[in-house]
Amino acid sequence: MESVSLLSTLPSLSSRPFSQPSLQFPTSRHPHVRVCCLSGGEQWQMRRRDLVGCVGTVVGLEMIATYGKFTKEAEAADLIQRRQRSEFQSNIKGTLDKAIRASPDLVPAILKLALNDAMTYDKATKSGGANGSIRLSPELSRPENSGLASALSLLEEAKKEIDSYSKGGPISYADLIQFAAQTAVKKTFLDAAIRKCGGNEDKGRTLYAAYGSNGQWGLFERQFGRSDSPDPDPEGRIPQWDKASVQDMKNKFSAIGLGPRQLAVMSAFLGPDQLETETLLASDKDVLPWVQKYQRSRETVSQTDYEVDLITTLTKLSTLGLQINYEAYTYPVQKVDFSKLKL
């Protein structure tokens, strides 16, 4: 096995003839590598820059080995954290699905709760957004949030169960509310598929699995790790949707960077009766084409145009102005001391 050859000591760094040294210094990380710093003849001269270059080569090899080991460890840790977050998120969805299925009448309120928590975002100050502040009574009691307390109570009960099995700390209200909206949206599409199958749940699930747009939720699900605001967001940032004109709604959506298309696709979030809301929105020439587009899409088997645009818009809304902690809900893995195992 080859080793790295290097002069360990030199009487002088001046240009004097030396006999070729025979000292060999093996390295544990590179036993198969030989670095040659010697000239071809029996008598040769070592200059300062030769020595520096030789030492640099060996040190570089050691640094590469160390960096490679660090990179592998970092990649392994990242995979572990991603698995932890994925498993926790899967459990959250199960808990929320069970809770929402037990209270289907609260789906419209859950959607509006998520919308109003996110719509407090202000582009000028980059404040507000889906930060869970709607859970605080001064904000929840505002006129625009009337009727949402029951939805929040349902989620608070679900949170207790989620926190009981979380290994990486309690789930934030900000995450809880947005993921509850995702669960509610999925339920509406699944229910529509079941209706199209004459009420047969098994066939409806098969239809939704085959033609639904479940794969479009990837970006939404990666935005997992929102922090809760300790204070209510400022008043006056959200209109009362049931009393607002279409122009008021357009102005609010425009203020956060969205347009008539996104307003139309979010019609189910604006009130308990989606068709009634769409009838109002259709009175505006800018929103009308999009309302018609999504109504036609809902008549199809897959509802692709409507579902994909809804997922895209909700994903954007739920992350406005937020910094996501991508290590949230992770936890140290207990190392096994194999020396203490009895075989």
Side-chain angles (χ1 to χ4, degrees):
M1 186 172 291
E2 295 179 307
S3 60
V4 175
S5 174
L6 178 63
L7 288 174
S8 62
T9 59
L10 289 173
S12 170
L13 292 177
S14 62
S15 298
R16 292 173 49 196
F18 291 95
S19 295
Q20 185 169 344
S22 61
L23 294 176
Q24 301 288 321
F25 295 92
T27 169
S28 60
R29 290 193 179 95
H30 304 284
H32 59 288
V33 177
R34 181 180 183 86
V35 178
C36 183
C37 300
L38 308 180
S39 63
E42 293 184 359
Q43 298 295 320
W44 58 285
Q45 292 182 327
M46 171 67 82
R47 293 171 296 178
R48 185 187 301 270
R49 65 184 180 186
D50 296 324
L51 179 63
V52 171
C54 189
V55 172
T57 301
V58 177
V59 171
L61 286 170
E62 297 297 310
M63 290 178 66
I64 290 170
T66 302
Y67 177 76
K69 180 181 178 183
F70 173 78
T71 301
K72 290 179 181 178
E73 290 176 351
E75 289 175 350
D78 182 58
L79 287 173
I80 291 171
Q81 289 185 342
R82 275 193 263 174
R83 186 184 303 116
Q84 290 173 349
R85 284 162 58 85
S86 177
E87 290 175 354
F88 183 47
Q89 194 176 111
S90 179
N91 291 335
I92 290 169
K93 292 176 186 177
T95 300
L96 289 172
D97 183 67
K98 181 178 65 175
I100 291 172
R101 287 191 174 282
S103 302
D105 55 311
L106 290 179
V107 165
I110 291 170
L111 298 179
K112 188 175 178 182
L113 184 75
L115 176 69
N116 284 8
D117 193 38
M119 290 289 279
T120 57
Y121 177 67
D122 179 66
K123 283 182 68 176
T125 60
K126 300 190 183 303
S127 61
N131 55 19
S133 62
I134 199 169
R135 77 191 188 281
L136 303 170
S137 56
E139 186 170 335
L140 186 64
S141 61
R142 294 171 187 168
E144 65 267 25
N145 295 326
S146 176
L148 302 185
S150 54
L152 182 62
S153 295
L154 177 72
L155 299 189
E156 285 175 333
E157 288 302 310
K159 186 179 189 305
K160 292 177 184 177
E161 181 178 340
I162 292 168
D163 291 348
S164 70
Y165 57 67
S166 173
K167 299 178 182 178
I171 186 172
S172 67
Y173 278 92
D175 277 336
L176 179 72
I177 291 169
Q178 297 305 316
F179 275 83
Q182 180 203 36
T183 302
V185 166
K186 285 185 174 183
K187 181 183 183 305
T188 62
F189 283 107
L190 176 59
D191 288 349
I194 292 171
R195 286 195 299 272
K196 289 175 182 177
C197 292
N200 187 306
E201 184 170 342
D202 290 338
K203 289 183 178 179
R205 288 184 179 277
T206 302
L207 177 67
Y208 184 55
Y211 294 100
S213 301
N214 239 349
Q216 298 295 319
W217 286 105
L219 180 58
F220 177 93
E221 292 174 350
R222 284 195 293 274
Q223 311 308 309
F224 184 45
R226 300 169 182 81
S227 297
D228 285 337
S229 171
D231 304 307
D233 284 335
E235 292 189 62
R237 292 188 175 183
I238 300 178
Q240 290 182 247
W241 302 112
D242 58 338
K243 296 181 179 180
S245 67
V246 180
Q247 188 60 51
D248 290 337
M249 297 182 194
K250 287 169 61 179
N251 291 344
K252 177 56 190 176
F253 272 70
S254 176
I256 61 172
L258 303 177
R261 179 177 187 170
Q262 289 76 29
L263 174 58
V265 83
M266 295 296 286
S267 59
F269 286 66
L270 300 172
D273 190 328
Q274 184 176 16
L275 292 179
E276 183 180 326
T277 301
E278 288 184 332
T279 299
L280 174 62
L281 294 176
S283 66
D284 184 277
K285 63 180 181 61
D286 296 325
V287 189
L288 173 62
W290 297 109
V291 170
Q292 293 174 333
K293 174 184 175 72
Y294 297 132
Q295 287 178 339
R296 288 193 300 269
S297 179
R298 290 201 299 270
E299 294 299 319
T300 66
V301 172
S302 63
Q303 304 187 69
T304 299
D305 289 344
Y306 175 56
E307 186 173 12
V308 169
D309 282 5
L310 179 55
I311 293 170
T312 301
T313 302
L314 179 58
T315 299
K316 183 172 182 178
L317 272 172
S318 69
T319 55
L320 285 173
L322 300 184
Q323 295 294 324
I324 303 296
N325 175 13
Y326 292 100
E327 295 183 356
Y329 313 121
T330 61
Y331 49 91
V333 177
Q334 185 176 2
K335 295 183 179 180
V336 178
D337 187 350
F338 291 99
S339 65
K340 295 182 179 180
L341 293 179
K342 294 183 180 179
L343 301 177

